Amino acid sequence: MGILHDEDMNMDQAAPRPDIPNDIYEVYQDLISGTVDALPTDDLLQRLVWAREQGRPLRAKLGVDPTAPDIHLGHTVILRKLAQFQKHGHTAVLIIGDYTAKVGDPSGRSKLRPRLSDEEININATTYVEQAAKVLDMERAEVVRNSEWLSPLRMDEVLKLTATTTVARMLERDDFSSRYSKNEPISMLEFMYPLLQGYDSVAVKADVELGGTDQKFNLLMGRPIMEAYGLLPQSILTVPLLVGTDGSMKMSKTYGNYIGVTDTPDDMFGKVMSIPDDLMVTYWTLLTGAGHREVEDIAQRVAAGTYHPAECKRDLAERIVGLYHDSAAASAAREQFDRVFKHRNRPEDIPEAPLPSTCVREGRVWLPRLMVEMKLAASNGEAKRLIQQGGVKLDDAVVRNSDEEIAVDRVLGGVIQVGKRRFLRIIP
RNA sequence: GGGGGGAUGCCCGAGUGGCCAAAGGGAGCAGACUGUAAAUCUGUCGGCGCUGCCUACGGAGGUUCAAAUCCUCCUCCCCCCA
């Protein structure tokens, strides 16, 4: 997967078209802004016209697998796009892929994912919907589970489905062909996924399906399948995969480069601040709901040097935190950040923990043990290393000697700092 | 069904009997610097109160004073032929 660049996205305002009513064209521009592919060309535009003529809203489909309990900003990109359809009066159809999750989607992985139990899926689905509600208007969304129609499928119906495509067509998928050429395994099961996903589109009669760019193949696969079932093939819209805080890989929990929608304001703020500078515009575009014009203006001011990048990033972080918490929390997070990182002071709220008796020996405390006990280090060795590298402070004084035993009364009420951002006050 | 190749630490990947807790890179962590938890540079990176010991190179046995390295069986993956 390549690094995403702003120029990959559809951001240019094309000239208005005389054959299309202006307001519809505006909506269309809005819907394709920030997307990578809108296929077939002009198909969505055409549908918007039909929708007007027939007086019915379009059905915009998004399928999600409830495989992970928490969602992060990477997931919100597509949800924002779906929410945009709602904003323009269309129907958001959110499909919870409970059936597909139960089988265990092996896509893109060398190992099969563990099968999830019904309870896990239910929990994940519930939290997903809860968290998605921060972006999507759930009152007006249609939420369905694909087990509803996939579970009762009979073998002959499955066979009919498999007959709609060919192996050669399957191997066109970049993911499959590259794994195939790299001698990595592809199970037959994986071949079923695009088909089942396409069948979902049949079941909900989708007008347009949204997905990440990695879903392009699957989304397109839905078209011939819909046709085989006598439906008008769906339009597809892809949004870029969000690059994570490391600036190179897609945002994912497994890479640890994610910003969760339930992260605390301070965490969320800090994580946004940790993205590389050249990712800022992308984040403004995909994560803030900022208009096209606003993003352009920001990009220009930063490029011109009239808007300091550090300031721009602070504003970005504050904006994002505000979306998932509130503006008060967002500005507090900003103050906290400046306090801790810009001015190198302690944060306002320092977590507290009692001194465990297991760490005290003859009235003295060996710091590495305490750090392990307090989860500030994974092992004694790591704790000692941190101390030796000058990364540990007790009441703002760098601890130098990792062997020294410290008197209990010096530790009690004291603040242990590990690295730049982990603080802990020890209480009796 | 036949033949061949492969499995190494969080990830990638070197290592074909002792010099191996295992090169190199990436990620992570710490320090310096700064405009931020950006960038860059430096250090560090299995566990143990640690001049030593324990656990680890897919799994189980074996050979040897000594095994990631050799042998046997097993599991999984890939390729070629059919």
Side-chain angles (χ1 to χ4, degrees):
Chain A
M1 125 202 39
I3 295 172
L4 301 166
H5 300 286
D6 298 331
E7 56 267 28
D8 290 338
M9 291 185 269
N10 292 315
M11 294 183 68
D12 304 323
Q13 298 283 326
R17 295 174 36 153
D19 53 326
I20 305 289
N22 245 336
D23 58 330
I24 290 185
Y25 196 70
E26 278 304 306
V27 169
Y28 175 66
Q29 286 299 330
D30 202 8
L31 292 176
I32 66 165
S33 79
T35 63
V36 177
D37 284 303
L39 298 170
T41 309
D42 284 351
D43 187 68
L44 180 60
L45 182 57
Q46 195 56 57
R47 274 177 208 265
L48 288 166
V49 174
W50 291 339
R52 161 79 55 86
E53 284 167 5
Q54 294 167 15
R56 74 165 181 100
L58 294 182
R59 297 174 60 74
K61 169 201 173 195
L62 172 66
V64 294
D65 270 355
T67 44
D70 287 305
I71 69 174
H72 55 61
L73 293 189
H75 302 114
T76 68
V77 176
I78 193 79
L79 284 170
R80 287 198 182 282
K81 186 50 73 182
L82 190 60
Q84 213 170 28
F85 274 87
Q86 285 188 314
K87 195 181 97 190
H88 291 299
H90 300 290
T91 306
V93 182
L94 185 64
I95 298 182
I96 306 292
D98 63 337
Y99 188 83
T100 26
K102 221 183 317 190
V103 183
D105 181 6
S107 174
R109 318 243 162 200
S110 51
K111 289 175 193 143
L112 278 167
R113 282 182 181 166
R115 282 160 158 261
L116 295 174
S117 69
D118 288 344
E119 302 96 284
E120 284 173 310
I121 288 169
N122 276 328
I123 292 166
N124 290 349
T126 310
T127 41
Y128 185 93
V129 170
E130 261 167 31
Q131 294 176 8
K134 296 192 180 202
V135 180
L136 213 57
D137 179 355
M138 284 301 168
E139 298 291 308
R140 290 170 47 227
E142 232 175 75
V143 183
V144 282
R145 298 181 169 219
N146 65 5
S147 58
E148 226 174 90
W149 52 83
L150 291 182
S151 179
L153 269 193
R154 286 159 38 113
M155 191 61 179
D156 56 348
E157 290 168 303
V158 174
L159 292 178
K160 175 182 173 188
L161 186 57
T162 57
T164 59
T165 195
T166 63
V167 170
R169 177 91 179 88
M170 280 293 173
L171 286 173
E172 280 173 25
R173 184 166 125 173
D174 181 61
D175 176 50
F176 285 148
S177 59
S178 70
R179 281 162 64 200
Y180 192 64
S181 63
K182 276 191 290 187
N183 299 340
E184 285 168 11
I186 303 167
S187 75
M188 290 297 291
L189 181 65
E190 287 181 79
F191 275 4
M192 289 305 296
Y193 273 84
L195 297 175
L196 294 178
Q197 189 169 337
Y199 192 79
D200 285 349
S201 292
V202 172
V204 302
K205 298 188 169 57
D207 284 296
V208 51
E209 179 167 9
L210 314 185
T213 47
D214 59 337
Q215 286 286 310
K216 185 173 170 182
F217 179 91
N218 287 3
L219 301 183
L220 285 170
M221 183 61 77
R223 290 176 50 83
I225 293 173
M226 290 177 85
E227 216 162 12
Y229 283 86
L231 294 172
L232 184 66
Q234 65 188 5
S235 199
I236 76 152
L237 214 52
T238 65
V239 297
L241 290 178
L242 186 68
V243 173
T245 53
D246 62 325
S248 61
M249 291 187 292
K250 72 163 183 176
M251 185 176 282
S252 155
K253 209 159 190 176
T254 43
Y255 300 144
N257 61 358
Y258 71 101
I259 304 174
V261 300
T262 57
D263 281 354
T264 64
D266 286 344
D267 246 18
M268 199 179 261
F269 195 97
K271 285 181 182 178
V272 175
M273 289 306 287
S274 78
I275 65 169
D277 287 1
D278 55 15
L279 210 56
M280 286 195 294
V281 173
T282 307
Y283 271 42
W284 272 107
T285 309
L286 299 176
L287 299 177
T288 61
H292 181 65
R293 303 260 175 235
E294 186 183 354
V295 174
E296 240 170 31
D297 174 60
I298 289 166
Q300 274 167 11
R301 277 160 57 216
V302 171
T306 55
Y307 191 17
H308 197 288
E311 202 52 31
C312 176
K313 211 186 275 181
R314 277 188 178 77
D315 289 339
L316 171 68
E318 188 173 345
R319 177 84 157 253
I320 291 175
V321 173
L323 288 171
Y324 297 97
H325 295 90
D326 56 60
S327 56
S331 59
R334 183 187 188 125
E335 278 164 31
Q336 180 87 317
F337 184 88
D338 286 350
R339 184 187 176 87
V340 176
F341 298 105
K342 206 174 172 186
H343 307 301
R344 290 292 150 83
N345 293 324
R346 286 186 197 167
E348 287 202 327
D349 298 313
I350 297 176
E352 300 183 337
L355 179 66
S357 57
T358 50
C359 294
V360 184
R361 212 167 63 182
E362 292 166 16
R364 307 189 80 80
V365 174
W366 185 51
L367 201 51
R369 164 151 298 164
L370 179 61
M371 287 167 65
V372 172
E373 209 66 38
M374 298 285 95
K375 302 263 194 302
L376 293 171
S379 65
N380 289 356
E382 184 182 304
K384 289 177 74 168
R385 203 181 308 126
L386 284 165
I387 292 170
Q388 279 151 17
Q389 291 184 134
V392 177
K393 287 180 189 168
L394 177 60
D395 287 330
D396 293 327
V398 177
V399 179
R400 290 281 166 210
N401 185 355
S402 59
D403 294 325
E404 185 194 347
E405 300 202 6
I406 303 164
V408 168
D409 52 346
R410 248 196 80 203
V411 175
L412 287 176
V415 172
I416 299 176
Q417 178 181 355
V418 177
K420 288 185 180 64
R421 53 190 218 257
R422 284 178 308 178
F423 296 85
L424 185 71
R425 189 188 301 280
I426 304 298
I427 56 173

